[in-house]
Amino acid sequence: MNKLPDVNNNLSIPSILFLLSFLFFISCNSTYTSKKQGYYKIDFPKREYVKFDKQGFPYSFEYPAYAVIEQDSDYSNQKGNDPYSINVDFPALNGKIYITYKVIGETSVYQVKNAGGGYRDSIGKNIFQNLVNDCYNLTYKNDVKANSIEDSIMHTPNNITGIFFRLSGSVATAKQFFLSDTTHNFLRGALYFDATPNEDSLRPVNDFLQEDMKHIINTLQWK
């Protein structure tokens, strides 16, 4: 009768050490499954809109009920040169849409950079093409950090034409636009956050507020 081999007797000490080392190596190099990329859960408010139609203002539009309209604190606004520039503030989301309004053909106070690096007041005429160029210049100031900049033509239900800018990358403002009738009214909007620019962390809020920007654009009317 054949005798079964004795396992303990057939494995030498070097073999046992090799086997243990091999098992340890396998366990340390097992397949690693990374977690899927995600975002912090943000409880966005329900979309509801109210009308901004302040007496004396040359335009009106609908804005989110969870936003607050405030007078812009820009330098030229403090001096009474841009009385119709406002901010649409989203306190719960740390974001603001800065809205600047100019009357084409009239004059405004602009900050002009001196050769020494400082700024001075300069009164200039609001020429339509210059206002358009300013919008493009302000947008492309972000091209150092932007991965891409896309502009698209808009034509709203109220027959107002303009350009919408989308910027990707960790930029200060990822959504901008301007609207005009080319003869009298010119309005620019830009979304900023009170936070360090980070495309990944701001993407959910940017996407959410982009829809609100579209609603403002599509409901804008000149008076």
Side-chain angles (χ1 to χ4, degrees):
M1 186 173 184
N2 294 331
K3 188 178 180 179
L4 292 175
D6 189 342
V7 174
N8 291 329
N9 292 334
N10 286 322
L11 286 177
S12 63
I13 291 177
S15 299
I16 294 173
L17 292 175
F18 174 81
L19 179 60
L20 291 174
S21 299
F22 179 77
L23 291 174
F24 178 79
F25 177 82
I26 291 297
S27 65
C28 290
N29 290 275
S30 58
T31 303
Y32 171 73
T33 304
S34 62
K35 293 182 179 179
K36 293 182 178 180
Q37 183 179 7
Y39 303 100
Y40 291 110
K41 178 176 172 54
I42 301 174
D43 294 323
F44 291 112
K46 180 182 178 182
R47 293 194 191 276
E48 294 181 27
Y49 296 97
V50 294
K51 191 168 186 178
F52 173 78
D53 192 9
K54 188 174 181 179
Q55 185 175 3
F57 269 64
Y59 58 83
S60 66
F61 58 80
E62 292 182 4
Y63 70 97
Y66 39 87
V68 178
I69 300 292
E70 61 181 25
Q71 192 73 32
D72 185 48
S73 59
D74 181 75
Y75 173 79
S76 59
N77 219 5
Q78 293 175 3
K79 301 188 75 171
N81 295 290
D82 291 320
Y84 306 121
S85 295
I86 59 174
N87 301 329
V88 183
D89 185 19
F90 300 88
L93 300 174
N94 289 329
K96 284 185 183 182
I97 300 174
Y98 291 84
I99 293 179
T100 305
Y101 175 84
K102 305 280 188 183
V103 178
I104 298 172
E106 294 190 359
T107 58
S108 295
V109 175
Y110 294 89
Q111 290 282 285
V112 178
K113 192 171 184 179
N114 295 322
Y119 288 86
R120 60 180 175 82
D121 290 346
S122 177
I123 298 176
K125 193 170 184 178
N126 300 326
I127 300 171
F128 172 71
Q129 191 56 53
N130 290 348
L131 293 172
V132 172
N133 291 341
D134 285 346
C135 287
Y136 272 90
N137 290 336
L138 288 170
T139 300
Y140 278 86
K141 275 186 176 180
N142 296 280
D143 66 351
V144 175
K145 292 186 176 181
N147 296 328
S148 66
I149 300 177
E150 298 178 3
D151 57 351
S152 55
I153 298 175
M154 302 179 291
H155 190 70
T156 77
N158 294 318
N159 293 319
I160 300 175
T161 303
I163 300 290
F164 195 91
F165 298 94
R166 297 176 182 83
L167 295 83
S168 66
S170 296
V171 292
T173 170
K175 317 289 181 185
Q176 302 182 33
F177 68 88
F178 71 82
L179 296 162
S180 180
D181 57 9
T182 74
T183 57
H184 185 77
N185 302 287
F186 193 96
L187 184 144
R188 176 180 181 267
L191 174 62
Y192 285 86
F193 291 95
D194 186 17
T196 302
N198 184 293
E199 183 179 23
D200 290 335
S201 60
L202 290 177
R203 181 177 288 119
V205 188
N206 255 318
D207 292 344
F208 179 81
L209 293 183
Q210 177 176 294
E211 296 305 310
D212 289 335
M213 291 184 80
K214 288 181 179 179
H215 191 86
I216 290 173
I217 290 167
N218 286 325
T219 59
L220 180 75
Q221 291 181 296
W222 309 125
K223 294 182 182 179

